[in-house]
Amino acid sequence: MSDFISNLIANLAFVLERLDWLSILDIFLVAAIFFVILRLLRGTQAMTLLRGVIVLVALLGVLTSLEVLPAFSWLVRTTLPAVLFAIPVIFAPEIRHALERLGRAGVLLPSERVSRQLQDTVDAIVTATTRLSDRQHGALIVLERRDHLNNYAETGVRMDSRVTPELLLQIFYPNTPLHDGAVIISESQLVAAACVLPLSASGVLMSTPERQVGLRHRAALGISEVSDAVAVVVSEETGWISVVHGGKMIRRLDAERLENILRALFRPALPGGIFGSLSKRLSATPREDEETT
């Protein structure tokens, strides 16, 4: 074992002596690639699996370097190509979601989205959610952005109606035929109600003290993980209003903060504007009154 440690120290010293600015740049680029990959996979089940894979690869690398284990080294060298081939299959959903996030990065909403109709839609949603919150009527409203939600709209009841507070209040009135499920809104049209959304498959909900959340919150996180949609949730138990976007959730909103967030998310990003501050807030560590649950 002492010979192994001595050889390891000697190899490290040899590598350090050969370092130059190109080698440092090479290491920096590799580290940057791993940082981007880990950032895209943060908050998903793939993150836990990836940590296990890294630990396993490091352990196998150390064991195969020992000349006293020739049979084990041969086994690892033989099976390693098959393991590398299986990784894309195991991580297929996470890789697809990471590429979707990367493709959406830096893309701005078209300026024609900021219209009078959109402002009326935001006003209607804020008014309706405030009344629903006061009455503790649960609700889930999804606003379409660049990614189309036609597949999810087909799971519900087609409406194609203008968005009004009265319509939303009627849909989410308890025990009515359409109160279960989500409402999908595209621009100024309420496309469908009672829609079925995918539940969150990430570990975000397990990393917070309040792990017991309803299906509405899990569905809101789920749709934000597979698309760039914005979801507004009203809790049936507490009446709290939450906004979900990009796998992040801001809770306990009042009418003014809800309106500011929706307007910021549906206008082009301006330097130093509210969109930049909102992006920082969504990516920041949640505080006591803004929990990611």
Side-chain angles (χ1 to χ4, degrees):
M1 182 61 72
S2 60
D3 293 338
F4 170 74
I5 296 176
S6 301
N7 292 334
L8 181 61
I9 295 175
N11 290 334
L12 289 176
F14 178 74
V15 170
L16 292 176
E17 291 175 357
R18 294 171 59 89
L19 279 178
D20 54 13
W21 69 273
L22 285 177
S23 301
I24 296 175
L25 178 62
D26 188 25
I27 295 173
F28 174 77
L29 291 176
V30 172
I33 291 174
F34 275 100
F35 174 79
V36 172
I37 293 175
L38 293 175
R39 184 75 180 228
L40 291 173
L41 295 179
R42 185 180 61 178
T44 65
Q45 289 181 335
M47 194 63 186
T48 304
L49 296 175
L50 186 61
R51 284 198 296 263
V53 170
I54 292 175
V55 172
L56 181 61
V57 170
L59 181 61
L60 292 178
V62 172
L63 293 178
T64 53
S65 63
L66 299 177
E67 298 180 356
V68 295
L69 301 174
F72 182 79
S73 301
W74 172 85
L75 179 63
V76 171
R77 287 194 298 268
T78 304
T79 58
L80 187 58
V83 173
L84 294 177
F85 178 77
I87 287 178
V89 178
I90 297 173
F91 292 108
E94 286 77 14
I95 292 174
R96 177 172 57 84
H97 294 162
L99 292 176
E100 289 175 353
R101 292 183 186 179
L102 185 62
R104 291 196 295 264
V107 181
L108 302 181
L109 288 172
S111 58
E112 54 265 22
R113 284 271 188 154
V114 185
S115 62
R116 183 60 189 174
Q117 290 182 338
L118 181 57
Q119 294 177 9
D120 293 342
T121 300
V122 171
D123 292 340
I125 293 173
V126 172
T127 302
T129 52
T130 303
R131 295 180 183 176
L132 290 167
S133 175
D134 294 338
R135 303 171 185 177
Q136 292 192 6
H137 292 174
L140 174 54
I141 303 171
V142 179
L143 289 82
E144 183 182 82
R145 298 179 80 215
R146 291 181 301 272
D147 296 342
H148 294 293
L149 304 177
N150 296 334
N151 292 337
Y152 303 106
E154 292 175 356
T155 64
V157 178
R158 199 79 183 186
M159 301 194 70
D160 294 323
S161 305
R162 187 170 65 90
V163 181
T164 63
E166 293 77 14
L167 179 59
L168 292 173
L169 289 171
Q170 182 60 40
I171 289 175
F172 291 112
Y173 192 84
N175 301 322
T176 56
L178 301 179
H179 86 284
D180 282 332
V183 159
I184 294 180
I185 295 175
S186 178
E187 297 183 356
S188 61
Q189 292 290 315
L190 196 156
V191 180
C195 300
V196 179
L197 303 181
L199 299 181
S200 174
S202 72
V204 172
L205 296 173
M206 299 302 296
S207 60
T208 56
E210 296 184 14
R211 300 179 183 179
Q212 300 298 326
V213 295
L215 289 178
R216 288 190 179 92
H217 292 83
R218 296 181 184 272
L221 281 171
I223 195 64
S224 73
E225 291 166 358
V226 300
S227 71
D228 65 342
V230 179
V232 179
V233 189
V234 179
S235 173
E236 188 173 351
E237 289 77 17
T238 62
W240 290 346
I241 302 174
S242 306
V243 170
V244 186
H245 174 61
K248 304 293 183 180
M249 181 179 294
I250 301 180
R251 303 185 66 189
R252 306 184 188 182
L253 300 175
D254 55 21
E256 181 179 359
R257 295 176 66 196
L258 174 62
E259 181 178 0
N260 291 337
I261 290 175
L262 292 181
R263 291 189 186 280
L265 287 170
F266 283 89
R267 73 161 60 101
L270 300 176
I274 192 171
F275 188 88
S277 61
L278 176 63
S279 299
K280 294 179 181 179
R281 187 165 192 172
L282 287 172
S283 60
T285 302
R287 298 197 302 266
E288 181 180 356
D289 63 333
E290 294 169 3
E291 302 159 347
T292 312
T293 57

